[in-house]
Amino acid sequence: MKSKKGVTFLGVIFVMMIFLCMGQVWVMKVPFLLAFGWLSFLQQVLPEVTFRWGAIAEFLLVAAVLAAGSHLFLRWLWRQLHTEAPGASVWRPRWSVSLLLLGVLLFAATMASVGIGHHVGWLMSGRARLVRSSWPGMEPEGTRTARWLCEEARDQLKAGTPDGQLTRKLLADPSLRPIVEAQYVVPHVSPEGKPVILVFARDPLVRERDGGVRCGPASFGVESLDAKVLAQWLAEPRAVASPTP
């Protein structure tokens, strides 16, 4: 039996090592966050917590009255139910405290269940992705997909699509929609007067990290821009953003 458990454990470790070698670090992050993620949450939330001492005192007063009243009632009820039993014990205070704590625990569990249901519904109905790839090149806002999107937008403009309808036209393609929702597509005019397209992430943190791309006529090709150069291009008044419907 112990040998089977050892083989299973080694098998799990081997599979995790394969995923790690493939760049899938989530196999280590998920167990760690499930076990200790609440510590970082407390570290972020506790400094922002303010105590309302009046509400705390009111809660303690109500809890004390409820505990005393419940204990008196339950002791009377217990005595009435055991009047004919000669050796019956009396209702003990710790029983009342246990029932009160059980009620508080049930209330907290109900609130937690409602919160879990609310957040699951919010996550399922939201448009944001629940997971992100460990490989930046596979991300919808990555440079590789930005280059592809820039070429597709250039083809649409060459086909006669107006600047103001460019994003709508790209969103109509099911294969492009997830990428367009994560990227800005901005028609622009170069200093030489040639039409170009800027593509960059909607997320400002991703944009600062990856920059964007610029493409124009077929002979111009696709050029990567760092965040600083991209900001300079966007500061030019020739940029005309294609509105998202």
Side-chain angles (χ1 to χ4, degrees), residues 153 157 161-167 184-190 194-200 233-244:
L157 291 179
T161 302
D163 291 349
Q165 298 295 321
L166 180 58
T167 302
Y184 279 119
V185 180
V186 180
H188 203 287
V189 179
S190 68
K194 296 181 180 180
V196 296
I197 301 171
L198 302 178
V199 178
F200 50 92
W233 272 83
L234 294 177
E236 294 291 334
R238 295 183 293 270
V240 181
S242 180
T244 301

Side-chain angles (χ1 to χ4, degrees), residues 1-12:
M1 191 66 179
K2 291 184 178 180
S3 60
K4 291 183 178 181
K5 291 183 178 180
V7 171
T8 302
F9 177 76
L10 292 177
V12 171

Side-chain angles (χ1 to χ4, degrees), residues 106-120:
L106 291 176
F107 176 77
T110 303
M111 293 290 291
S113 300
V114 173
I116 292 173
H118 174 270
H119 280 75
V120 169

Side-chain angles (χ1 to χ4, degrees), residues 54-243:
I56 294 175
E58 182 179 353
F59 167 77
L60 295 176
L61 178 62
V62 171
V65 172
L66 179 61
S70 300
H71 176 69
L72 293 176
F73 171 75
L74 291 173
R75 187 176 62 177
W76 170 83
L77 182 62
W78 181 268
R79 188 167 57 248
Q80 294 298 321
L81 294 176
H82 296 82
T83 53
E84 298 181 357
S89 59
V90 297
W91 182 264
R92 299 179 181 178
R94 63 185 180 90
W95 295 353
S96 298
V97 175
S98 299
L99 288 176
L100 181 62
L101 294 178
L102 180 61
V104 173
L105 179 61
L106 291 176
F107 176 77
T110 303
M111 293 290 291
S113 300
V114 173
I116 292 173
H118 174 270
H119 280 75
V120 169
W122 175 71
L123 290 173
M124 296 301 295
S125 62
R127 301 178 70 119
R129 293 176 300 143
L130 299 180
V131 295
R132 292 182 179 271
S133 174
S134 301
W135 297 340
M138 300 299 293
E139 289 291 312
E141 66 271 17
T143 304
R144 183 181 305 174
T145 52
R147 287 175 173 269
W148 177 39
L149 180 58
C150 198
E151 294 175 352
E152 293 289 335
R154 180 178 60 188
D155 294 340
Q156 290 292 338
L157 291 179
K158 289 174 61 178
T161 302
D163 291 349
Q165 298 295 321
L166 180 58
T167 302
R168 186 185 297 272
K169 188 71 173 179
L170 294 172
L171 285 171
D173 189 341
S175 63
L176 293 176
R177 187 178 184 90
I179 304 174
V180 179
E181 289 178 344
Q183 304 275 359
Y184 279 119
V185 180
V186 180
H188 203 287
V189 179
S190 68
E192 295 80 16
K194 296 181 180 180
V196 296
I197 301 171
L198 302 178
V199 178
F200 50 92
R202 295 178 181 270
D203 188 338
L205 296 179
V206 177
R207 185 162 65 246
E208 184 178 355
R209 183 193 66 195
D210 298 339
V213 299
R214 178 186 62 178
C215 63
S219 59
F220 185 83
V222 182
E223 180 184 2
S224 297
L225 304 175
D226 59 29
K228 184 177 180 180
V229 176
L230 177 63
Q232 294 175 353
W233 272 83
L234 294 177
E236 294 291 334
R238 295 183 293 270
V240 181
S242 180

